[in-house]
Amino acid sequence: MKVSKSNSVFFLLFFLGLIISALSYYVLPKSFFLDSKIIIFDKLNEIGLLGSYPFSIWFYKITGLKYLHFSIIGVIQFFIVYILLFKIGVPKEFNRLTGKNILIYVSIVILAIFISMPTKEFINFLCIFIIIRIFQKRNQNIKKTVFIGLSLILFFGFFFRRYYILIVFLMVVMYGISLIKLKNKRVISILYGILIMIGVSLSYGLLKGVFISHKTRELVNEHRIGSGNANSMIIPPLSTDTWYGESFGIVYGFFTVNLPINGLKFLFKPQIIAFVFWQLSLFIMLYRRYGRCLKEGEKGNYDIWMFYFLFSYFIIQGVFEPDLGSAARHKIGVFPLIYYLLNYEVFRKKI
């Protein structure tokens, strides 16, 4: 059986990823494994089904993965996620050195690094894959598919990551905006998504006495200032304990996480500069494809809902992410969505 050049490159990256996953435990700094140790050792006895840490602890115990060495866990997890990517599809002409393909090559290397340990992102990856396959297969009409997809996101949010409930809300907002006749729906949908998120945070602040980004990002970073693993912390110029500071902080967070030009100030930190170029390329390519997909209209357009999903996630990241490293790690959790949308025209035909 003849193997295509695209498949050959795809599987070469698979073997490279396996090697990286197996060796990462011996190479990466200890700070990479802080979450993993919480998940595996569960010193606070948090195991349960509600919340990201309790659910992750339960998952690794019930699957038996917690009893294996980290390098073995890494190999198993990378093997599984790569098979799932293969199920989504292999990009057309994946062997060519185009900007898009190089971006995916680099992303797969990053995937191998972040999936090489017990991590919440492995669980996140599995859940996102299920949602993508429902939209990709198109077994139901679009209304039923959207209903099932949104229900799964809500279900996932309830048990694992609560901010996914907000993502569903933003997705519906983006859909509503797309129904209005506007010149640039792409820009306006993202802009309104950010404004809605600001409104949600300010409303939360009125009820609870503290704004969302101040409660999450700022209070987390407050305890990390001066530590060795806080080089890329996201710290807005204005304090987020006021309504205008919180509003500016959410906008600042969105651009820092998704268009991190201000990250170029870390000139002598190659890992941060590498993230900046990877993230800029990723956002620009996805943003262009989002515009292309919007032009196809809403009728029967399954893929546009996955763009709503992804860009809602990007907006949410601007509220919660404490640093650029966490932003990169969490994008790996939604990598099936990114991978699909970078090649949605080809993958929509692969059922």
Side-chain angles (χ1 to χ4, degrees):
M1 180 179 178
K2 187 177 180 181
V3 180
S4 69
K5 291 181 180 179
S6 292
N7 282 347
S8 297
V9 172
F10 187 81
F11 286 114
L12 280 174
L13 287 168
F14 170 66
F15 291 115
L16 174 62
L18 283 180
I19 294 170
I20 292 171
S21 297
L23 298 180
S24 290
Y25 175 78
Y26 303 100
V27 177
L28 295 175
K30 291 182 180 179
S31 60
F32 267 76
F33 301 95
L34 295 178
D35 276 5
S36 299
K37 290 178 179 178
I38 293 173
I39 292 168
I40 295 301
F41 298 115
D42 190 20
K43 291 182 179 180
L44 299 178
N45 193 29
E46 295 181 83
I47 189 169
L49 293 176
L50 292 176
S52 58
Y53 278 115
F55 190 93
S56 299
I57 293 166
W58 173 84
F59 175 85
Y60 278 92
K61 182 177 181 180
I62 203 73
T63 58
L65 287 171
K66 71 168 290 181
Y67 304 107
L68 303 176
H69 190 275
F70 278 19
S71 60
I72 298 175
I73 294 173
V75 169
I76 292 172
Q77 290 184 163
F78 184 77
F79 181 85
I80 291 171
V81 301
Y82 213 76
I83 292 299
L84 297 183
L85 291 180
F86 184 70
K87 290 288 290 181
I88 292 173
V90 178
K92 187 178 180 181
E93 298 182 333
F94 194 50
N95 57 302
R96 293 181 59 197
L97 291 178
T98 63
K100 181 180 66 175
N101 285 343
I102 292 171
L103 180 64
I104 296 175
Y105 301 162
V106 173
S107 299
I108 288 172
V109 171
I110 297 173
L111 171 67
I113 292 171
F114 282 121
I115 216 75
S116 67
M117 62 198 77
T119 174
K120 292 179 281 186
E121 304 320 314
F122 177 61
I123 302 169
N124 210 103
F125 190 108
L126 300 180
C127 295
I128 297 298
F129 170 78
I130 293 170
I131 294 166
I132 288 171
R133 289 297 284 175
I134 289 171
F135 278 91
Q136 187 182 14
K137 285 191 172 184
R138 296 152 165 74
N139 287 338
Q140 307 287 340
N141 65 48
I142 190 165
K143 289 183 179 179
K144 288 183 179 178
T145 301
V146 170
F147 177 78
I148 294 169
L150 295 183
S151 298
L152 283 174
I153 298 171
L154 287 172
F155 182 80
F156 177 52
F158 178 78
F159 283 100
F160 192 61
R161 281 180 162 158
R162 291 295 169 88
Y163 58 78
Y164 272 73
I165 296 172
L166 288 174
I167 288 176
V168 171
F169 180 59
L170 290 180
M171 289 172 68
V172 174
V173 169
M174 286 188 167
Y175 168 71
I177 292 168
S178 71
L179 299 179
I180 304 170
K181 290 185 178 180
L182 299 167
K183 285 187 177 181
N184 198 332
K185 293 181 181 180
R186 179 175 51 175
V187 173
I188 293 174
S189 63
I190 294 173
L191 176 62
Y192 268 84
I194 294 172
L195 291 175
I196 291 294
M197 196 60 238
I198 290 172
V200 169
S201 181
L202 297 183
S203 300
Y204 183 88
L206 288 174
L207 293 173
K208 299 292 185 178
V210 60
F211 302 121
I212 293 177
S213 81
H214 187 74
K215 179 184 177 181
T216 54
R217 177 173 60 221
E218 305 309 318
L219 293 183
V220 168
N221 284 340
E222 193 176 274
H223 300 288
R224 301 168 62 211
I225 294 174
S227 64
N229 62 342
N231 293 325
S232 63
M233 286 195 307
I234 299 172
I235 305 176
L238 301 178
S239 174
T240 55
D241 58 1
T242 63
W243 70 267
Y244 54 87
E246 174 70 0
S247 300
F248 181 81
I250 290 174
V251 175
Y252 179 86
F254 173 79
F255 282 97
T256 300
V257 167
N258 297 295
L259 290 165
I261 298 174
N262 56 347
L264 294 173
K265 64 186 177 182
F266 298 102
L267 190 60
F268 299 105
K269 297 186 183 299
Q271 73 277 17
I272 297 178
I273 296 298
F275 166 79
V276 168
F277 283 106
W278 173 74
Q279 177 56 54
L280 283 171
S281 301
L282 183 66
F283 187 87
I284 291 169
M285 287 188 186
L286 289 167
Y287 181 72
R288 291 175 61 187
R289 280 163 176 74
Y290 179 32
R292 187 186 306 166
C293 194
L294 275 171
K295 289 179 181 178
E296 296 176 6
E298 290 291 329
K299 189 175 181 180
N301 193 343
Y302 292 79
D303 295 324
I304 196 60
W305 281 94
M306 286 194 276
F307 276 107
Y308 295 154
F309 187 6
L310 184 63
F311 280 91
S312 295
Y313 182 80
F314 287 170
I315 292 169
I316 292 291
Q317 276 199 300
V319 181
F320 291 97
E321 296 297 359
D323 55 66
L324 297 183
S326 296
R329 182 190 294 270
H330 292 152
K331 277 190 170 65
I332 290 305
V334 297
F335 185 66
L337 188 55
I338 292 170
Y339 180 73
Y340 178 88
L341 291 177
L342 284 172
N343 294 277
Y344 74 94
E345 304 101 326
V346 176
F347 291 162
R348 67 165 48 153
K349 299 174 183 177
K350 183 185 182 303
I351 309 298

